[in-house]
Amino acid sequence: MVLAGARNEVEPGKTGLAHLFEHILFRHRWEGKENGYEDAISRLGAHNNAFTTYDITFYHPLTFTSNLTGVLQLESSRFKSLDFTEKIFRTEAGAVLGEYRRNASFPSLRMSERELALMFPHHPYGHTTMGYLEDVKDMPNEYKAAVDFYDTYYRPNNCVLVIAGDVKADEMFAKVEQYYSDWQRKDVPAIPPGEPPKKEQREFVPWDADVAPLVWVAYRMPGFHTGSTDTAVMQLLNELLASQAAPLYKKLRYEKQSASSLNLNADE
């Protein structure tokens, strides 16, 4: 888990880099070979994926315990010394643009962009993890900025390694020490504080096609803190208010039939 996401993209014109690097890491040239990492991880029979959010980028390969040494070799290599060319970078930047265009065919992306801009006008939370369209289009030209992002945030003091399964802790600490001990730390820049909006705001987002109406209501909530009562409550609200077993869901979906779905996102 890398403690870097959209919130770390503080430089104007450079949004979407955290998500782009989620793509780039799968193109690591293991042993200097094109697609070397992907070929090697596939030979281990690993299910391998990742995701990017506002606060983290999370990589989660899954395989048999007998393959763990091989996975540690591969993961430490791409996290310590990622090897990719500018050509690979440009290819993946194009893939991200394709992903943006695919997601933009649904109203939810445009609504999300407008909602975040209203709630966080002076903070990097104000853009989606994919970044602004203008920045995504310009990504092929931002090779140096992307390399700097990796060099800054993919550091041992900014990552968490989790190993879960049929393993013994003492053995795992020894193996992790073997493959990660020469990984050098680096100070991570502080995220500038943002000012919340001064008043309630409403906005209508038009859509060219005929679609069912969507209503989004957003509130600022306290930041996540382990041991906080507010945090514990927010973790439960989704089940209590918006799950299929919740009274509100049943009332709107089945009794009034005024909504086809109800969702609560308590992570933005």
Side-chain angles (χ1 to χ4, degrees), residues 21 50 69 79 110 114 138-139 141 156 177 225-226 235 252:
F21 253 95
T69 296
F79 276 83
R110 190 182 302 176
R114 293 307 308 140
D138 189 54
M139 272 182 182
N141 303 316
E177 180 74 18
H225 294 289
T226 303
Q235 299 302 300
L252 296 178

Side-chain angles (χ1 to χ4, degrees), residues 80 151 246:
K80 292 190 303 182
D151 183 62

Side-chain angles (χ1 to χ4, degrees), residues 63-250:
T63 189
F64 301 102
T65 306
S66 57
N67 292 334
L68 191 55
T69 296
V71 170
L72 286 172
Q73 287 179 313
L74 289 169
E75 296 306 288
S76 63
S77 174
R78 67 172 179 163
F79 276 83
K80 292 190 303 182
S81 53
L82 182 65
D83 182 8
F84 68 101
T85 63
E86 189 166 354
K87 179 182 178 182
I88 289 174
F89 174 81
R90 288 178 175 273
T91 298
E92 291 306 313
V96 171
L97 178 58
E99 185 179 349
Y100 183 99
R101 287 171 171 164
R102 183 175 67 251
N103 290 346
S105 63
F106 299 93
S108 54
L109 177 57
R110 190 182 302 176
M111 291 181 70
S112 183
E113 289 177 336
R114 293 307 308 140
E115 178 194 56
L116 292 170
L118 291 174
M119 292 191 70
F120 302 98
H122 308 295
H123 190 278
Y125 278 160
H127 63 263
T128 67
T129 55
M130 201 168 297
Y132 295 118
L133 177 58
E134 296 79 11
D135 297 347
V136 176
K137 288 181 177 178
D138 189 54
M139 272 182 182
N141 303 316
E142 297 297 341
Y143 176 75
K144 183 182 183 304
V147 171
D148 290 343
F149 186 90
Y150 171 81
D151 183 62
T152 299
Y153 294 105
Y154 281 67
R155 295 289 179 169
N157 52 299
N158 199 50
C159 294
V160 179
L161 175 61
V162 180
I163 301 175
D166 183 21
V167 296
K168 295 180 179 179
D170 291 343
E171 294 177 3
M172 290 305 99
F173 277 108
K175 284 186 175 294
V176 170
E177 180 74 18
Q178 177 183 352
Y179 292 108
Y180 285 90
S181 60
D182 59 343
W183 195 8
Q184 298 298 310
R185 76 179 311 279
K186 185 176 183 178
D187 290 338
V188 175
I191 301 169
E195 296 183 6
K198 303 299 183 183
K199 60 182 180 179
E200 177 184 307
Q201 302 176 84
R202 299 189 180 198
E203 184 164 328
F204 175 77
V205 178
W207 195 251
D208 295 336
D210 185 17
V211 296
L214 294 170
V215 178
W216 287 13
V217 182
Y219 296 91
R220 298 269 299 205
M221 68 183 201
F224 185 99
H225 294 289
T226 303
S228 162
T229 301
D230 288 337
T231 294
V233 170
M234 293 308 301
Q235 299 302 300
L236 293 172
L237 274 183
N238 188 47
E239 290 298 320
L240 295 174
L241 295 180
S243 69
Q244 295 187 15
L248 180 61
Y249 179 91
K250 292 179 179 178

